[in-house]
């Protein structure tokens, strides 16, 4: 659910949208960015990769070399919305601008060609001036959160007061409203007159930044002293209720400093994205006009029946572009962590049940239609424009419908501004493979339709693929642009046969409950006669349906059945359980995607108590294959949807069973399978007969059955 601003550089600089990539590409090329990135990768992501300095300097060269006739405010229209004090610009550009343009408005109204004629001083050329201006337009899209230490609360208050001191009366109304919100939230409007102690007179020194900072620090110290006195007196308070302020005059001695931005321990709290109630025009949600947006009306009817905390969790965590952590959310709305977790589980369960019900069928059908319409890769803009309801806010959430749709998609994810239903690297690699003979744009569209690229996304997808360009109506692939072949990893999903336990305590699904080490527990005859404890522990490399990815992680394949979808236990091979650190008689708790809790327990045989929460989250169906892997206490899962492979060869069907969906010749397929079932990081010998014998010993008879006819024919 993590998403970033969909604004790309071509949105910030419209001239790029209509420019020939072959002309601007050499200037904008960067080793860590794909070709055509200015049309596909969101600006915050670009700045994360290359930094604002590189981007501003590069755009300055682009403006001077290719758009020298355009005014800077036409090249970057957002410059008109900025108010910049030229005194804030660093030397030597500041002196150069003050001696030529004089004002910011005249500066952004000049073209690069005009700036080149100005009498600029030595050491400050047109590129430096243009780059400084462009930097002001680029800077707001940077994301510096977490890269520098958070300032102390006193500095936050002082910063707000400094802004208030310097803000001109002519500033726009929305700027004044924002400052009023910050002033109220930080308490900067109520701590101007505080005293050194309870017996002293209020001190009102001159209004300077230093004295304001001193008074703020005194206020914080006064509150700490007051809390210490109350604790020493034995006063007790309920943790969830904030301590009352001292009963003194608002400006008098002993005033306590309070701020809604300060959390426990005087740490900074993440502020709410909404303004405080006193700055909202109407604190109650406005009922939508029924009938105009049926999908929004349908979801609004669902969310309005939820409690306030459930709607808050949905808006801030489930459907948010930048989900807030449970701990911060609990701190903001002043409820227990457990209440947030319970609310999230309730929200997810209700939503899943509703989507599976007749009432939610229109949304479910809409998601299915969108998947078919958008294809395997599409931009956010295409998603928003795909339906008239998508840009409309769901009133009770304050979130546009398209954000809800992205969250409800289970078969695709956001990647660099693209909503993709497959591994994006694999899709781009396949794109290059299909277009190696320089086809026409029409032929390219027909070929890429095989991998799900729709016509509306075709041009943008081509330009976002490394080494691909469009010239004179043909699609060209530059083989000198390096691109590694994809290293396939298993795709989302899991399951196998159930387990029948013997007597003793069991879970709701019939699996035995772990006992503490040293506890006495009954042992069945089968368990008593089992030779496993005396034998060497089973190895994951010899376990059925277990495959090692190129990164070294072992994945286990689960063939989903109807019983698994209904909550039946799902067994795993003992070798895989041992690989995870599980021992007979023990239990392992794992956190799955979405914070679902999954329990893996081993008595007669290791098995998951149930994978139903995971399978429902993945929208798994009977016949799907789910691959699971575990890192620490976290489980990752990928689903490989059921597909008709009757038109595929035996080798492709065998590769599909290990989660590898790319085509490969027989010899290469044997090497891939041999590597996936080996602990050796080096390429093992893929002798056909030895491979068949090993697959049979592991229990992978389905893979062996697919390979055997091919190998018998090829090798006599």
């Amino acid at each position: 659910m993590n998403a970033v601003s969909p604004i790309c550089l071509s949105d910030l600089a419209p001239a790029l949208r209509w420019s020939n990539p072959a002309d601007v590409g050499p200037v904008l090329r960067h080793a860590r960015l794909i070709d055509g990135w200015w049309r596909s990768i969101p600006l915050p992501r670009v700045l994360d990769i290359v930094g604002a300095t590189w981007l501003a300097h590069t755009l300055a060269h682009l403006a001077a070399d290719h758009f020298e006739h355009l005014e800077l405010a036409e090249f970057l229209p957002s410059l008109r919305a900025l108010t910049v004090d030229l005194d804030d610009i660093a030397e030597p550009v500041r002196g150069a601008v003050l001696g030529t343009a004089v004002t910011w408005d005249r500066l952004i109204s000049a073209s690069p060609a005009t700036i080149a004629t100005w009498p600029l001083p030595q050491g400050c050329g047109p590129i430096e001036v243009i780059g400084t201006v462009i930097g002001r337009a680029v800077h707001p899209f940077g994301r510096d959160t977490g890269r520098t230490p958070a300032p102390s609360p006193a500095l936050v208050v002082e910063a707000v007061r400094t802004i208030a001191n310097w803000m001109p009366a002519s500033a726009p109304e929305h700027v004044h409203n924002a400052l009023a919100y910050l002033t109220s939230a930080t308490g900067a409007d109520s701590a101007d007159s505080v005293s050194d102690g309870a017996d002293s007179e209020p001190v009102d020194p001159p209004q300077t930044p230093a004295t304001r900072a001193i008074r703020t620090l005194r206020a914080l110290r006064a509150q700490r002293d007051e809390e210490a006195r109350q604790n020493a007196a034995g006063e007790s308070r309920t943790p969830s209720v904030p301590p009352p302020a001292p009963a003194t005059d608002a400006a008098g001695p002993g005033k306590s400093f309070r701020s809604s931005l300060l959390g426990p321990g005087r740490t900074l709290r993440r502020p709410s994205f909404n303004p405080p109630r006193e700055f909202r025009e109407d604190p109650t949600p406005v009922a939508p006009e029924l009938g105009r947006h049926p999908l929004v009306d349908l979801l609004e009817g669902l969310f309005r029946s939820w409690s306030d905390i459930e709607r808050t969790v949905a808006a801030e965590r489930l459907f948010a572009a930048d989900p807030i952590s449970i701990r911060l959310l609990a701190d903001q709305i002043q409820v227990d962590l457990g209440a947030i977790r319970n609310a999230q589980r309730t929200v997810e369960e209700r939503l899943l049940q509703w989507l599976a019900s007749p009432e939610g069928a229109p949304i479910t059908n809409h998601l299915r239609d969108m998947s078919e319409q958008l294809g395997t890769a599409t931009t956010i803009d295409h998603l928003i424009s795909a339906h008239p309801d998508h840009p409309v806010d769901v009133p009770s959430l304050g979130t546009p419908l398209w954000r809800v749709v992205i969250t409800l998609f289970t078969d695709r994810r956001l990647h660099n501004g693209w909503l993709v239903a497959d591994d994006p690297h694999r899709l781009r690699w396949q794109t290059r493979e299909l277009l190696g003979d320089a086809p026409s744009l029409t032929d390219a569209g027909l070929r890429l339709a095989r991998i799900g690229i729709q016509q509306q996304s075709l041009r943008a997808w081509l330009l976002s693929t490394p080494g691909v360009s469009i010239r004179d109506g043909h699609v060209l692939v530059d083989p000198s642009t390096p691109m590694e072949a994809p290293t396939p990893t298993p795709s989302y999903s899991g399951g196998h046969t159930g387990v029948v336990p013997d007597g003793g305590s069991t879970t709701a699904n019939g699996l035995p409950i772990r006992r503490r080490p040293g506890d006495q527990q009954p042992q069945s005859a089968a368990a008593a006669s089992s030779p496993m404890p005396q034998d060497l522990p089973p190895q994951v490399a010899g376990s059925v349906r277990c495959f090692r990815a190129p990164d070294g992680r072992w994945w286990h394949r689960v063939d989903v059945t109807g019983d698994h979808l209904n909550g039946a236990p799902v067994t795993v091979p003992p070798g895989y359980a041992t690989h995870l650190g599980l021992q007979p008689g023990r239990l392992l708790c794992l956190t799955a995607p979405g914070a679902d809790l999954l329990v893996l327990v081993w008595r007669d045989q290791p098995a998951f108590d149930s994978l139903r929460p995971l399978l429902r989250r993945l929208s798994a169906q009977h016949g799907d294959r789910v691959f699971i892997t575990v890192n620490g206490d976290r489980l990752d899962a990928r689903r490989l949807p059921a597909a008709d492979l009757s038109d595929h060869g035996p080798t492709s069907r065998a590769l599909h069973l290990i989660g590898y969906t790319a085509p490969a010749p027989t010899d290469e397929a044997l090497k891939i399978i041999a590597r996936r079932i080996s602990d050796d990081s080096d390429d093992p010998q893929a002798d056909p007969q030895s491979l068949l014998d090993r697959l049979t010993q592991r229990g992978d008879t389905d893979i062996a059955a697919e390979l055997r006819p091919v190998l018998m024919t090829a090798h006599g």
Side-chain angles (χ1 to χ4, degrees):
M1 296 185 290
N2 260 345
V4 295
S5 167
I7 294 178
C8 300
L9 182 60
S10 58
D11 299 314
L12 190 67
L16 290 177
R17 192 174 300 158
W18 317 112
S19 301
N20 186 346
D23 295 334
V24 300
V27 182
L28 296 174
R29 181 164 294 147
H30 190 281
R32 297 181 61 195
L33 295 173
I34 60 173
D35 288 350
W37 61 264
W38 51 92
R39 295 182 177 176
S40 59
I41 303 181
L43 262 179
R45 177 61 179 153
V46 173
L47 294 176
D48 282 347
I49 295 173
V50 302
T53 301
W54 179 89
L55 184 58
H57 187 69
T58 300
L59 288 178
H61 278 284
L62 185 68
D65 295 343
H66 295 274
F67 302 101
E68 66 277 2
H69 59 288
L70 290 180
E71 296 180 0
L72 295 183
E74 292 180 2
F75 181 59
L76 295 174
S78 63
L79 289 171
R80 294 193 179 98
L82 299 178
T83 301
V84 177
D85 187 347
L86 296 185
D87 288 334
D88 294 337
I89 298 177
E91 294 288 359
V93 176
R94 172 180 171 273
V97 171
L98 289 175
T100 53
V102 181
T103 66
W104 171 258
D105 289 339
R106 185 185 174 195
L107 176 59
I108 64 175
S109 299
S111 67
T114 301
I115 295 175
T117 64
W118 289 353
L120 299 174
Q122 186 176 4
C124 180
I127 294 299
E128 284 73 18
V129 174
I130 298 170
T132 300
V133 174
I134 292 177
R136 296 295 176 132
V138 168
H139 179 74
F141 296 91
R143 298 184 297 186
D144 296 325
T145 303
R147 295 183 183 177
T148 58
S152 69
L155 292 180
V156 172
V157 173
E158 178 56 25
V160 173
R161 290 175 174 166
T162 302
I163 294 173
N165 185 51
W166 286 97
M167 179 176 289
S170 59
E173 182 180 359
H174 67 273
V175 177
H176 282 289
N177 290 339
L179 177 62
Y181 167 46
L182 287 174
T183 301
S184 174
T186 59
D189 58 343
S190 58
D192 281 336
S193 296
V194 291
S195 62
D196 291 328
D199 300 326
S200 60
E201 292 296 324
V203 179
D204 292 298
Q207 294 294 314
T208 67
T211 54
R212 284 195 299 271
I214 292 173
R215 285 198 305 277
T216 301
L217 293 172
R218 286 174 176 171
L220 293 173
R221 186 177 61 191
Q223 173 153 341
R224 287 197 298 269
D225 292 345
E226 176 66 21
E227 292 173 351
R229 284 194 296 270
Q230 292 175 355
N231 290 335
E235 295 184 16
S236 61
R237 301 185 181 95
T238 304
S240 60
V241 179
T248 58
D249 182 75
K255 180 173 185 273
S256 213
F257 173 78
R258 304 208 171 275
S259 169
S260 61
L261 292 184
L262 299 182
R266 317 303 297 162
T267 58
L268 279 178
R269 174 188 290 139
R270 171 178 172 163
S272 170
F273 289 111
N274 296 320
R277 287 187 176 87
E278 57 266 30
F279 292 106
R280 301 176 191 170
E281 294 181 2
D282 185 1
T284 60
V286 179
E289 184 178 346
L290 296 177
R292 293 189 59 189
H293 305 288
L295 295 180
V296 174
D297 296 341
L298 191 62
L299 285 169
E300 178 65 11
L302 170 68
F303 297 140
R304 275 184 175 270
S305 66
W306 292 1
S307 66
D308 290 343
I309 187 174
E310 288 168 351
R311 283 198 298 268
T312 300
V313 167
E316 297 289 351
R317 284 187 53 77
L318 196 60
F319 301 120
D322 182 19
I324 186 174
S325 72
I326 289 179
R327 187 172 300 278
L328 286 175
L329 182 58
D331 188 37
Q332 277 192 11
I333 63 178
Q334 297 184 353
V335 299
D336 294 334
L337 291 176
I340 298 292
R341 293 193 177 98
N342 291 335
Q344 177 156 340
R345 282 194 291 267
T346 301
V347 164
E348 292 174 347
E349 186 69 20
R350 282 186 180 180
L351 189 57
L352 290 173
Q353 291 176 354
W354 184 79
L355 289 172
S357 69
E359 292 81 3
I363 296 295
T364 304
N365 294 335
H366 178 69
L367 294 172
R368 184 182 306 112
D369 294 342
M370 284 296 100
S371 289
E372 296 176 358
Q373 178 180 337
L374 298 174
T376 55
T378 190
T379 63
I380 299 298
D381 287 341
H382 286 141
L383 172 65
I384 295 174
S385 62
H387 193 278
D389 286 6
H390 281 184
V392 180
D393 280 358
V394 179
S396 57
L397 299 181
T399 302
L401 178 63
W402 67 268
R403 280 277 351 141
V404 178
V405 169
I406 284 181
T407 303
L408 296 181
F409 274 136
T410 57
D411 60 341
R412 57 194 63 224
R413 63 188 177 91
L414 276 175
H415 178 81
N416 286 346
W418 286 87
L419 194 61
V420 293
D422 198 352
D423 176 23
H425 181 73
R426 180 186 296 113
L427 280 176
R428 289 196 167 94
W429 183 79
Q430 291 175 333
T431 297
R432 286 175 46 130
E433 291 293 302
L434 290 171
L435 306 178
D437 57 347
S440 66
L441 190 59
T442 302
D443 287 343
L446 296 174
R447 296 182 189 182
L448 294 188
R450 303 176 197 166
I451 61 174
I453 305 298
Q454 301 294 344
Q455 186 64 37
Q456 72 270 14
S457 303
L458 177 62
R459 181 176 291 271
W461 177 256
L462 291 173
L463 295 177
S464 71
T465 302
V468 176
S469 60
I470 303 174
R471 190 173 303 164
D472 298 329
H474 286 264
V475 181
L476 307 178
V477 178
D478 182 4
S480 65
T481 301
M483 188 174 184
E484 296 180 1
T487 45
T489 55
S491 290
Y492 286 123
S493 300
H496 205 53
T497 58
V499 69
V500 181
D502 55 5
S505 300
T506 60
T507 65
N509 281 314
L511 292 177
I513 295 176
R514 172 183 66 102
R515 300 176 185 274
R516 293 185 180 90
D519 286 356
Q520 296 298 319
Q521 57 181 335
Q523 191 176 30
S524 66
S529 61
S530 173
M532 186 177 299
Q534 289 78 30
D535 292 345
L536 292 175
Q539 300 298 312
V540 65
S543 299
V544 62
R545 301 184 306 281
C546 292
F547 311 102
R548 185 176 63 84
D551 61 5
R553 291 187 295 172
W554 281 92
W555 295 74
H556 170 62
R557 190 186 83 229
V558 177
D559 301 325
V560 180
T561 68
D563 289 340
H564 299 150
L565 297 174
N566 291 328
V570 181
T571 60
V572 299
Y576 190 70
T578 302
H579 171 70
L580 300 182
L582 188 62
Q583 299 176 5
R586 301 295 178 87
L587 173 146
L588 189 63
C589 294
L590 302 170
T591 302
D596 292 320
L597 183 66
L598 301 178
V599 178
L600 180 62
V601 64
W602 188 347
R603 193 172 184 188
D604 289 339
Q605 56 183 323
F608 283 100
D609 178 38
S610 173
L611 286 181
R612 180 166 59 176
L614 175 67
L615 299 180
R616 295 182 68 174
R617 179 173 293 277
L618 298 174
S619 298
Q621 302 293 327
H622 177 80
D624 287 352
R625 296 186 176 111
V626 172
F627 292 79
I628 60 175
T629 189
V630 176
N631 182 18
D633 65 345
R634 303 196 66 84
L635 178 142
D636 188 16
R638 298 180 179 178
R639 179 172 69 95
L640 195 60
D644 181 9
L645 302 178
S646 58
D647 59 341
H648 288 59
T651 303
S652 294
R653 293 196 293 269
L655 289 173
H656 202 270
L657 289 168
I658 69 170
Y660 192 107
T661 57
T666 299
D667 290 343
E668 181 62 24
L670 295 181
K671 293 180 181 179
I672 293 171
I673 295 174
R675 286 195 295 267
R676 294 298 175 90
I677 64 174
S678 173
D679 247 332
D680 190 357
S681 58
D682 297 329
D683 282 352
Q685 294 298 320
D687 173 64
Q689 189 58 50
S690 298
L691 180 59
L692 288 177
D693 292 343
R694 184 156 185 214
L695 289 169
T696 304
Q697 291 171 359
R698 283 166 44 102
D700 292 312
T701 55
D702 48 358
I703 302 176
E706 296 288 357
L707 293 178
R708 187 170 287 109
V710 178
L711 299 181
M712 290 179 63
T713 302
H715 299 278

